[in-house]
Amino acid sequence: MTSEPIHLMSTAGHVSDSPARVEAPTRAPFRIAAVQHRWHPDPVEHEAALSEGVRAGAGAGAALVCLQELTLSPYFAVTPDGPTAAGAKPEALPGGRTHEFACALATALGVDGDAARGGGGGVRGAV
């Protein structure tokens, strides 16, 4: 197993014609980025790795960046003892670590963060 990150960025380059479209589009395409990263036990390292992915997606023009479920918690489904044993615990919304993380990224990147205002676009993480 490698410790080096794997980066894959794919863009369509153009928007295909839609057989349902009867008029030319009046808006730019809506670009979405998905960030999936391995678990880092060090919270600072984990947030830095996720931030790098979010910044890459936003830098490529994404209006919405989606993060993996349990964004700042270890994934517990691989642990027979469940979420508590893995260190995953419920978070307050708003106000939990994931909410604060997503808000800070949305503010730093100047995007409309879903976590920052409770709806529509920006940086999203599942808690």
Side-chain angles (χ1 to χ4, degrees), residues 3 5 12 22 28 34 36-37 39 46 56 59 76 82-83 94 98 102 105 114 119 124 126-127:
S3 62
V22 295
Q36 178 78 38
H37 216 288
W39 171 249
H46 190 65
F76 62 84
T98 300
L105 273 174
D114 184 63
R124 292 186 183 192
V127 182

Short mmCIF file of all heavy atoms in Angstrom, two decimals, residues 3 5 12 22 28 34 36-37 39 46 56 59 76 82-83 94 98 102 105 114 119 124 126-127:
data_model
loop_
_atom_site.label_atom_id
_atom_site.label_comp_id
_atom_site.label_asym_id
_atom_site.label_seq_id
_atom_site.Cartn_x
_atom_site.Cartn_y
_atom_site.Cartn_z
N SER A 3 1.67 5.33 0.55
CA SER A 3 1.24 6.42 1.41
C SER A 3 1.03 7.70 0.61
O SER A 3 0.61 8.70 1.15
CB SER A 3 2.27 6.66 2.51
OG SER A 3 3.51 7.04 1.94
N PRO A 5 -0.83 10.17 -1.94
CA PRO A 5 -2.23 10.35 -2.33
C PRO A 5 -2.42 10.08 -3.82
O PRO A 5 -1.50 10.23 -4.61
CB PRO A 5 -2.51 11.81 -2.00
CG PRO A 5 -1.17 12.47 -2.02
CD PRO A 5 -0.18 11.42 -1.60
N ALA A 12 -15.79 16.85 -18.03
CA ALA A 12 -16.42 16.48 -19.29
C ALA A 12 -15.85 17.30 -20.45
O ALA A 12 -15.88 16.86 -21.58
CB ALA A 12 -17.93 16.67 -19.20
N VAL A 22 -35.05 22.21 -25.70
CA VAL A 22 -35.68 22.86 -26.84
C VAL A 22 -35.10 24.25 -27.11
O VAL A 22 -35.35 24.83 -28.15
CB VAL A 22 -37.22 22.94 -26.68
CG1 VAL A 22 -37.82 21.55 -26.66
CG2 VAL A 22 -37.59 23.70 -25.41
N ALA A 28 -24.23 28.62 -17.23
CA ALA A 28 -23.04 27.78 -17.32
C ALA A 28 -23.35 26.42 -16.69
O ALA A 28 -24.22 26.33 -15.82
CB ALA A 28 -21.87 28.43 -16.60
N ALA A 34 -16.23 15.71 -5.89
CA ALA A 34 -16.36 14.75 -4.80
C ALA A 34 -14.97 14.48 -4.24
O ALA A 34 -14.04 14.21 -4.99
CB ALA A 34 -16.98 13.45 -5.31
N GLN A 36 -12.87 12.17 -1.59
CA GLN A 36 -12.84 10.96 -0.76
C GLN A 36 -11.39 10.77 -0.33
O GLN A 36 -10.49 10.81 -1.16
CB GLN A 36 -13.32 9.75 -1.56
CG GLN A 36 -13.29 8.44 -0.82
CD GLN A 36 -14.45 8.28 0.14
OE1 GLN A 36 -15.55 8.68 -0.16
NE2 GLN A 36 -14.20 7.70 1.29
N HIS A 37 -11.16 10.60 0.95
CA HIS A 37 -9.79 10.46 1.44
C HIS A 37 -9.73 9.38 2.49
O HIS A 37 -10.71 9.10 3.16
CB HIS A 37 -9.30 11.79 2.03
CG HIS A 37 -7.86 12.05 1.78
ND1 HIS A 37 -6.86 11.37 2.44
CD2 HIS A 37 -7.25 12.90 0.95
CE1 HIS A 37 -5.69 11.80 2.01
NE2 HIS A 37 -5.90 12.74 1.10
N TRP A 39 -8.61 7.69 6.12
CA TRP A 39 -8.65 8.21 7.48
C TRP A 39 -7.23 8.51 7.96
O TRP A 39 -6.32 7.71 7.81
CB TRP A 39 -9.31 7.18 8.40
CG TRP A 39 -9.19 7.53 9.85
CD1 TRP A 39 -8.45 6.89 10.78
CD2 TRP A 39 -9.81 8.62 10.51
NE1 TRP A 39 -8.59 7.51 12.00
CE2 TRP A 39 -9.41 8.58 11.86
CE3 TRP A 39 -10.67 9.64 10.10
CZ2 TRP A 39 -9.85 9.50 12.79
CZ3 TRP A 39 -11.09 10.56 11.04
CH2 TRP A 39 -10.70 10.49 12.36
N HIS A 46 -5.69 15.08 8.99
CA HIS A 46 -6.92 14.67 8.30
C HIS A 46 -7.61 15.88 7.67
O HIS A 46 -7.98 15.86 6.50
CB HIS A 46 -7.85 13.94 9.28
CG HIS A 46 -9.01 13.29 8.62
ND1 HIS A 46 -8.87 12.25 7.74
CD2 HIS A 46 -10.33 13.54 8.70
CE1 HIS A 46 -10.07 11.87 7.30
NE2 HIS A 46 -10.97 12.64 7.88
N ALA A 56 -8.79 21.83 -4.42
CA ALA A 56 -8.59 21.39 -5.81
C ALA A 56 -9.91 21.41 -6.57
O ALA A 56 -9.97 21.89 -7.71
CB ALA A 56 -7.97 20.00 -5.83
N GLY A 59 -10.99 24.97 -7.04
CA GLY A 59 -10.10 25.59 -8.01
C GLY A 59 -10.41 25.18 -9.44
O GLY A 59 -10.10 25.91 -10.39
N PHE A 76 -16.83 3.57 10.93
CA PHE A 76 -17.00 2.53 11.94
C PHE A 76 -17.54 1.21 11.40
O PHE A 76 -17.53 0.22 12.11
CB PHE A 76 -17.91 3.02 13.06
CG PHE A 76 -19.30 3.35 12.61
CD1 PHE A 76 -20.26 2.37 12.49
CD2 PHE A 76 -19.64 4.65 12.28
CE1 PHE A 76 -21.54 2.67 12.07
CE2 PHE A 76 -20.91 4.97 11.87
CZ PHE A 76 -21.87 3.98 11.75
N GLY A 82 -18.85 -1.40 16.53
CA GLY A 82 -19.70 -0.28 16.17
C GLY A 82 -19.06 1.08 16.32
O GLY A 82 -17.86 1.21 16.54
N PRO A 83 -19.88 2.13 16.19
CA PRO A 83 -19.37 3.49 16.12
C PRO A 83 -18.63 3.98 17.36
O PRO A 83 -17.61 4.65 17.25
CB PRO A 83 -20.60 4.34 15.86
CG PRO A 83 -21.78 3.48 16.04
CD PRO A 83 -21.32 2.06 16.06
N PRO A 94 -26.13 23.10 13.95
CA PRO A 94 -24.76 23.55 13.71
C PRO A 94 -23.91 23.48 14.97
O PRO A 94 -24.44 23.29 16.07
CB PRO A 94 -24.94 25.00 13.27
CG PRO A 94 -26.20 25.45 13.92
CD PRO A 94 -27.08 24.21 14.01
N THR A 98 -17.48 18.95 12.24
CA THR A 98 -17.65 18.91 10.78
C THR A 98 -18.30 20.19 10.29
O THR A 98 -17.90 20.75 9.27
CB THR A 98 -18.47 17.68 10.37
OG1 THR A 98 -17.77 16.50 10.79
CG2 THR A 98 -18.67 17.62 8.87
N ALA A 102 -16.50 22.68 7.64
CA ALA A 102 -17.11 23.03 6.36
C ALA A 102 -17.34 24.54 6.24
O ALA A 102 -17.11 25.13 5.19
CB ALA A 102 -18.42 22.27 6.16
N LEU A 105 -13.98 26.30 5.54
CA LEU A 105 -13.56 26.11 4.15
C LEU A 105 -14.40 26.95 3.20
O LEU A 105 -13.88 27.58 2.29
CB LEU A 105 -13.67 24.64 3.75
CG LEU A 105 -12.49 23.76 4.06
CD1 LEU A 105 -12.80 22.30 3.75
CD2 LEU A 105 -11.26 24.20 3.29
N ASP A 114 -23.17 25.27 2.35
CA ASP A 114 -24.41 24.72 2.89
C ASP A 114 -24.38 24.72 4.41
O ASP A 114 -25.34 25.09 5.06
CB ASP A 114 -24.60 23.30 2.35
CG ASP A 114 -25.93 22.72 2.79
OD1 ASP A 114 -26.95 23.28 2.40
OD2 ASP A 114 -25.92 21.72 3.52
N GLY A 119 -28.35 25.71 3.62
CA GLY A 119 -28.96 25.27 2.37
C GLY A 119 -28.17 25.67 1.15
O GLY A 119 -27.41 26.61 1.18
N ARG A 124 -20.03 20.61 1.42
CA ARG A 124 -20.91 19.77 2.24
C ARG A 124 -20.16 18.57 2.77
O ARG A 124 -19.41 17.94 2.05
CB ARG A 124 -22.10 19.26 1.42
CG ARG A 124 -23.05 20.34 1.03
CD ARG A 124 -24.25 19.77 0.36
NE ARG A 124 -25.10 20.86 -0.06
CZ ARG A 124 -26.33 20.72 -0.47
NH1 ARG A 124 -26.85 19.52 -0.54
NH2 ARG A 124 -27.03 21.75 -0.84
N ALA A 126 -20.93 15.05 5.35
CA ALA A 126 -21.96 14.29 6.07
C ALA A 126 -21.47 13.97 7.47
O ALA A 126 -20.32 13.60 7.65
CB ALA A 126 -22.29 13.02 5.32
N VAL A 127 -22.32 14.12 8.44
CA VAL A 127 -21.95 13.87 9.82
C VAL A 127 -22.55 12.56 10.28
O VAL A 127 -23.67 12.28 10.05
CB VAL A 127 -22.46 15.01 10.74
CG1 VAL A 127 -22.04 14.79 12.15
CG2 VAL A 127 -21.95 16.34 10.24
#
